Amino acid sequence: EAQVTQNPRYLITVTGKKLTVTCSQNMNHEYMSWYRQDPGLGLRQIYYSMNVEVTDKGDVPEGYKVSRKEKRNFPLILESPSPNQTSLYFCASSFKGQGGYGYTFGSGTRLTVV
Amino acid sequence: KQEVTQIPAALSVPEGENLVLNCSFTDSAIYNLQWFRQDPGKGLTSLLLIQSSQREQTSGRLNASLDKSSGRSTLYIAASQPGDSATYLCAVPHNYGQNFVFGPGTRLSVLP
């Protein structure tokens, strides 16, 4: 089944403790992206990647890191999480190209930083 | 900078009604527009993708139209059902078609 898989689905952590949220897609998509969703603010892009070893900042990149060493994986790293990073996080992927094929989203990761 | 708005913010209708959700965007130079459904606390499910050369797309009881020149899209839901209750979001790309900007969503409740 074609899908984007995020892990974990739920995570509670303490301020300052490094964490990684994994994202993997099995559709051979070039493009991958991370979003966070907050009440009243909607979905905002954190980082995106056009292909392996190519990443760029989205609208809200502060406090986050990403890497794209393999085409299928795009982990989101929080080196020193803070409570304002408590949010619902989504990974998405698509084929690259103008015109687009649309996004496929993961099921989300609900992160709570205390 | 592309901005996307959706009207109404929330909508409550009795089962069986036909309804229209609206999406507006400020930059008409888009490659496509995508409509998503999101259930509470869940991920986004793609409903319809309309390419810039198309005027509408249909999937079952859903029909989405696109008017690029006026910066508008509508999602029409026919014969609504309680299972249609969810938040509906539209999204348009910027940055060479790969970086999507999302609207705030319309929260739909269909009452039995």
Short mmCIF file of all heavy atoms in Angstrom, two decimals, chain A residues 17-41:
data_model
loop_
_atom_site.label_atom_id
_atom_site.label_comp_id
_atom_site.label_asym_id
_atom_site.label_seq_id
_atom_site.Cartn_x
_atom_site.Cartn_y
_atom_site.Cartn_z
N LYS A 17 15.29 17.70 25.83
CA LYS A 17 15.69 16.33 25.51
C LYS A 17 15.52 16.07 24.01
O LYS A 17 14.40 16.01 23.50
CB LYS A 17 14.87 15.33 26.31
CG LYS A 17 15.32 13.90 26.11
CD LYS A 17 14.54 12.95 27.00
CE LYS A 17 15.02 11.52 26.79
NZ LYS A 17 14.25 10.56 27.62
N LYS A 18 16.63 15.87 23.34
CA LYS A 18 16.62 15.70 21.88
C LYS A 18 15.69 14.57 21.45
O LYS A 18 15.64 13.52 22.09
CB LYS A 18 18.04 15.41 21.39
CG LYS A 18 18.16 15.23 19.88
CD LYS A 18 19.59 14.95 19.48
CE LYS A 18 19.71 14.73 17.97
NZ LYS A 18 21.11 14.48 17.55
N LEU A 19 14.97 14.80 20.35
CA LEU A 19 14.09 13.76 19.83
C LEU A 19 14.08 13.80 18.31
O LEU A 19 14.39 14.82 17.69
CB LEU A 19 12.68 13.91 20.39
CG LEU A 19 11.89 15.15 19.98
CD1 LEU A 19 11.07 14.89 18.73
CD2 LEU A 19 10.97 15.58 21.11
N THR A 20 13.71 12.66 17.74
CA THR A 20 13.59 12.53 16.29
C THR A 20 12.25 11.92 15.96
O THR A 20 11.85 10.91 16.55
CB THR A 20 14.71 11.65 15.71
OG1 THR A 20 15.97 12.25 15.99
CG2 THR A 20 14.54 11.50 14.20
N VAL A 21 11.55 12.53 15.01
CA VAL A 21 10.32 11.96 14.47
C VAL A 21 10.64 11.44 13.08
O VAL A 21 11.16 12.19 12.24
CB VAL A 21 9.20 13.01 14.40
CG1 VAL A 21 7.91 12.35 13.90
CG2 VAL A 21 8.98 13.67 15.76
N THR A 22 10.37 10.17 12.86
CA THR A 22 10.74 9.60 11.56
C THR A 22 9.59 9.70 10.57
O THR A 22 8.41 9.74 10.94
CB THR A 22 11.13 8.12 11.72
OG1 THR A 22 10.00 7.37 12.18
CG2 THR A 22 12.28 7.98 12.70
N CYS A 23 9.97 9.76 9.30
CA CYS A 23 9.00 9.79 8.21
C CYS A 23 9.56 8.96 7.06
O CYS A 23 10.72 9.18 6.65
CB CYS A 23 8.74 11.22 7.74
SG CYS A 23 7.68 11.33 6.27
N SER A 24 8.75 8.06 6.55
CA SER A 24 9.18 7.21 5.45
C SER A 24 8.06 7.07 4.44
O SER A 24 6.90 6.92 4.83
CB SER A 24 9.58 5.84 6.00
OG SER A 24 10.01 5.00 4.96
N GLN A 25 8.42 7.13 3.15
CA GLN A 25 7.41 6.94 2.10
C GLN A 25 7.88 5.85 1.15
O GLN A 25 9.08 5.70 0.89
CB GLN A 25 7.11 8.26 1.37
CG GLN A 25 8.33 9.02 0.88
CD GLN A 25 8.76 8.69 -0.52
OE1 GLN A 25 8.08 7.95 -1.24
NE2 GLN A 25 9.88 9.26 -0.95
N ASN A 26 6.92 5.11 0.61
CA ASN A 26 7.24 3.98 -0.26
C ASN A 26 6.77 4.20 -1.70
O ASN A 26 6.52 3.24 -2.45
CB ASN A 26 6.62 2.70 0.30
CG ASN A 26 5.09 2.77 0.38
OD1 ASN A 26 4.48 3.76 0.00
ND2 ASN A 26 4.48 1.71 0.88
N MET A 27 6.66 5.47 -2.09
CA MET A 27 6.14 5.79 -3.42
C MET A 27 7.20 6.35 -4.35
O MET A 27 6.89 6.83 -5.44
CB MET A 27 5.00 6.80 -3.26
CG MET A 27 3.81 6.24 -2.50
SD MET A 27 2.65 7.49 -1.95
CE MET A 27 3.51 8.14 -0.52
N ASN A 28 8.46 6.33 -3.91
CA ASN A 28 9.56 6.85 -4.71
C ASN A 28 9.40 8.34 -5.03
O ASN A 28 9.83 8.82 -6.09
CB ASN A 28 9.72 6.06 -6.02
CG ASN A 28 11.13 6.18 -6.59
OD1 ASN A 28 12.11 6.26 -5.85
ND2 ASN A 28 11.24 6.20 -7.90
N HIS A 29 8.76 9.06 -4.11
CA HIS A 29 8.58 10.50 -4.29
C HIS A 29 9.88 11.25 -4.08
O HIS A 29 10.64 10.96 -3.15
CB HIS A 29 7.53 11.02 -3.31
CG HIS A 29 6.14 10.64 -3.66
ND1 HIS A 29 5.08 10.83 -2.79
CD2 HIS A 29 5.60 10.11 -4.79
CE1 HIS A 29 3.96 10.44 -3.37
NE2 HIS A 29 4.25 9.99 -4.58
N GLU A 30 10.10 12.25 -4.95
CA GLU A 30 11.30 13.08 -4.77
C GLU A 30 11.10 14.09 -3.64
O GLU A 30 12.02 14.43 -2.91
CB GLU A 30 11.63 13.85 -6.06
CG GLU A 30 12.01 12.96 -7.24
CD GLU A 30 10.82 12.60 -8.10
OE1 GLU A 30 9.67 12.93 -7.72
OE2 GLU A 30 11.02 11.97 -9.15
N TYR A 31 9.91 14.61 -3.54
CA TYR A 31 9.65 15.75 -2.67
C TYR A 31 9.04 15.30 -1.35
O TYR A 31 8.09 14.51 -1.33
CB TYR A 31 8.69 16.71 -3.37
CG TYR A 31 8.33 17.93 -2.58
CD1 TYR A 31 9.17 19.03 -2.54
CD2 TYR A 31 7.13 18.00 -1.88
CE1 TYR A 31 8.84 20.16 -1.81
CE2 TYR A 31 6.79 19.13 -1.15
CZ TYR A 31 7.65 20.20 -1.12
OH TYR A 31 7.32 21.32 -0.41
N MET A 32 9.61 15.79 -0.24
CA MET A 32 9.07 15.52 1.08
C MET A 32 9.06 16.79 1.90
O MET A 32 9.87 17.70 1.66
CB MET A 32 9.87 14.42 1.79
CG MET A 32 9.83 13.08 1.06
SD MET A 32 10.65 11.75 1.93
CE MET A 32 9.45 11.38 3.24
N SER A 33 8.14 16.84 2.86
CA SER A 33 7.96 18.08 3.60
C SER A 33 7.44 17.80 4.99
O SER A 33 6.77 16.78 5.21
CB SER A 33 6.97 18.98 2.83
OG SER A 33 6.78 20.21 3.48
N TRP A 34 7.73 18.69 5.92
CA TRP A 34 7.19 18.63 7.28
C TRP A 34 6.34 19.86 7.55
O TRP A 34 6.74 20.99 7.21
CB TRP A 34 8.30 18.58 8.32
CG TRP A 34 8.85 17.22 8.55
CD1 TRP A 34 10.01 16.69 8.08
CD2 TRP A 34 8.24 16.17 9.33
NE1 TRP A 34 10.17 15.39 8.51
CE2 TRP A 34 9.10 15.06 9.28
CE3 TRP A 34 7.06 16.08 10.07
CZ2 TRP A 34 8.81 13.86 9.94
CZ3 TRP A 34 6.77 14.90 10.73
CH2 TRP A 34 7.64 13.80 10.65
N TYR A 35 5.18 19.63 8.20
CA TYR A 35 4.29 20.69 8.61
C TYR A 35 3.98 20.54 10.09
O TYR A 35 4.01 19.43 10.64
CB TYR A 35 2.96 20.63 7.85
CG TYR A 35 3.03 21.05 6.41
CD1 TYR A 35 3.43 20.16 5.42
CD2 TYR A 35 2.69 22.33 6.02
CE1 TYR A 35 3.50 20.54 4.09
CE2 TYR A 35 2.74 22.73 4.70
CZ TYR A 35 3.16 21.83 3.75
OH TYR A 35 3.21 22.22 2.44
N ARG A 36 3.64 21.65 10.70
CA ARG A 36 3.04 21.60 12.03
C ARG A 36 1.67 22.26 11.96
O ARG A 36 1.46 23.19 11.16
CB ARG A 36 3.92 22.27 13.09
CG ARG A 36 4.21 23.73 12.90
CD ARG A 36 5.04 24.29 14.08
NE ARG A 36 4.27 24.38 15.31
CZ ARG A 36 4.80 24.74 16.49
NH1 ARG A 36 6.10 25.02 16.59
NH2 ARG A 36 4.03 24.80 17.57
N GLN A 37 0.77 21.75 12.77
CA GLN A 37 -0.59 22.28 12.78
C GLN A 37 -0.96 22.71 14.18
O GLN A 37 -0.89 21.91 15.12
CB GLN A 37 -1.59 21.23 12.26
CG GLN A 37 -2.99 21.77 12.09
CD GLN A 37 -3.93 20.72 11.51
OE1 GLN A 37 -3.83 19.55 11.80
NE2 GLN A 37 -4.87 21.16 10.67
N ASP A 38 -1.36 23.96 14.32
CA ASP A 38 -1.72 24.52 15.60
C ASP A 38 -3.08 25.20 15.50
O ASP A 38 -3.39 25.82 14.47
CB ASP A 38 -0.67 25.54 16.04
CG ASP A 38 0.72 24.94 16.13
OD1 ASP A 38 0.94 24.16 17.06
OD2 ASP A 38 1.55 25.23 15.25
N PRO A 39 -3.88 25.13 16.56
CA PRO A 39 -5.20 25.76 16.54
C PRO A 39 -5.10 27.25 16.22
O PRO A 39 -4.30 27.97 16.80
CB PRO A 39 -5.71 25.53 17.97
CG PRO A 39 -4.97 24.33 18.45
CD PRO A 39 -3.62 24.41 17.81
N GLY A 40 -5.90 27.69 15.29
CA GLY A 40 -5.92 29.10 14.91
C GLY A 40 -4.81 29.52 13.95
O GLY A 40 -4.87 30.61 13.39
N LEU A 41 -3.82 28.67 13.78
CA LEU A 41 -2.70 29.01 12.88
C LEU A 41 -2.66 28.12 11.66
O LEU A 41 -1.92 28.40 10.70
CB LEU A 41 -1.37 28.90 13.63
CG LEU A 41 -1.20 29.87 14.80
CD1 LEU A 41 0.10 29.57 15.54
CD2 LEU A 41 -1.20 31.32 14.32
#
